[in-house]
Amino acid sequence: MAIASPSLTRPLHKSFIPKYPCLSHHLHFRPSLHCSSQPFHRFTVKATSAVALEPDLSTRQNQTVETDLFACPVCYEPLIRKGPPGLNLEAIYRSGFKCKKCNKTYSSKDVYLDLTITAGLRDYTEVKPVGTELFRSPFVSFLYERGWRQNFTRSGFPGPDEEFRMAQEYFKPAEGGILVDVSCGSGLFSRKFAKSGTYSGVIALDFSENMLRQCNDFIKQDASLLASNIALVRADVSRLPFSSGSIDAVHAGAALHCWPSPSNAFAEISRVLRSGGVFVGSTFLRYTSSTPWIVRPLRERALQGYNYLTEEEIEDVCTSSGLTNFSKKVQQAFIMFSAQKP
């Protein structure tokens, strides 16, 4: 992405709204301008004529907008949006989305926008590995911020506030852009990113329906978040519903050990990041360089069922996915790392 002037990253002034009546002054824009100084900030919004959607979508208010932010998880084509503009809960809930290539429709039938490949299927069901299915449980989703997450400090996690501060340091090159918090759980960090005002939009993304419902419950308790640019999206981390090179920052807090295939997820994250975009993740390590050799087989056996990696493996999969400038901070079994899309 590129930027010509810092002023272009601020919210669009109301005086410009008459030119684009379908756009809200609450939406942040990053114009598609290219110059050689800094490879940052591109936000493309294209006006388009009305598109025939499903009957329940055709009654939505406002004009149809074609945006390159959300894309079809099947073919990665940008989705046609019908409804009020904006990256916030109310606007997303009242909007319908349709892929103009494969003709599939998506909507927020619950509190989140379902952009999984299986969205809308009636007869087909799919069961994920135990590590994934566990967090789809209403019970675990309820407990996550009520005791579950607090136990991570025993493994060296410094705590949510310090982890957020560390992530913000890594994300400085992406300030003003769109951040996707993948495997966001109940939105612990999604809400912090949104409240910081650092980003033009935050997308809380998880595969668990109940985690997203719990995230919505927390958001409803905070009036400032209800008015912020935050969206809840259900999606698979190995099939992210965004166009290639459209996202500025991706965060994955204490998540990648639960992914069925970390390598596929890293490749997807690399695909959706723009040039210069930043990926920050944290997880439990299988063991560290200081772990005695006699203990390592015991830890491997005890941690079966999850994809706990080593420092070297994390750097290796980042590199193989096309990410560079790998950096890490390690404390006991905790690691936070950062990598960048060249």
Side-chain angles (χ1 to χ4, degrees), residues 192-301:
K192 290 179 179 292
F193 289 128
K195 292 192 72 170
S196 73
T198 309
Y199 310 97
S200 58
V202 173
I203 298 171
L205 183 149
D206 204 283
F207 189 76
S208 169
E209 305 91 328
N210 285 303
M211 282 292 190
L212 291 170
R213 293 186 186 108
Q214 187 64 64
C215 181
N216 183 67
D217 288 343
F218 283 128
I219 290 174
K220 288 190 297 185
Q221 297 171 19
D222 190 331
S224 64
L225 280 171
L226 285 172
S228 65
N229 287 338
I230 185 171
L232 304 184
V233 174
R234 181 173 183 249
D236 190 333
V237 69
S238 64
R239 197 77 184 177
L240 294 173
F242 308 104
S243 299
S244 298
S246 63
I247 302 300
D248 301 288
V250 175
H251 176 259
L256 69 89
H257 55 278
C258 297
W259 296 343
S261 174
S263 60
N264 284 347
F266 275 59
E268 267 295 90
I269 290 168
S270 178
R271 179 187 67 80
V272 303
L273 280 175
R274 64 164 179 84
S275 177
V278 181
F279 171 38
V280 175
S282 64
T283 188
F284 297 90
L285 291 170
R286 186 162 70 246
Y287 49 75
T288 67
S289 56
S290 61
T291 303
W293 284 97
I294 194 171
V295 176
R296 295 185 182 188
L298 300 177
R299 284 188 59 82
E300 289 181 345
R301 183 174 302 176

Side-chain angles (χ1 to χ4, degrees), residues 1 27-32 41-45 67-69 178 200:
M1 290 191 168
L27 186 62
H28 290 64
F29 293 86
R30 291 173 288 148
S32 181
H41 291 315
R42 173 182 56 81
F43 194 107
T44 306
V45 176
T67 172
D68 65 353
L69 183 55
I178 296 290
S200 58

Side-chain angles (χ1 to χ4, degrees), residues 64-138:
T64 301
V65 175
E66 181 182 359
T67 172
D68 65 353
L69 183 55
F70 292 124
C72 175
V74 177
C75 63
Y76 296 135
E77 276 290 312
L79 295 177
I80 302 297
R81 176 173 176 175
K82 181 91 172 184
L87 191 65
N88 57 74
L89 296 182
E90 182 180 1
I92 297 295
Y93 181 77
R94 294 169 56 198
S95 295
F97 298 83
K98 183 173 182 178
C99 176
K100 60 184 178 181
K101 185 173 182 180
C102 65
N103 221 33
K104 187 168 181 175
T105 59
Y106 304 89
S107 64
S108 298
K109 293 181 179 179
D110 208 321
V111 297
Y112 53 82
L113 174 61
D114 193 341
L115 292 179
T116 58
I117 293 179
T118 56
L121 296 185
R122 298 176 181 177
D123 300 320
Y124 177 81
T125 57
E126 192 169 78
V127 178
K128 295 288 186 177
V130 174
T132 301
E133 291 297 320
L134 175 66
F135 292 97
R136 297 178 73 183
S137 159

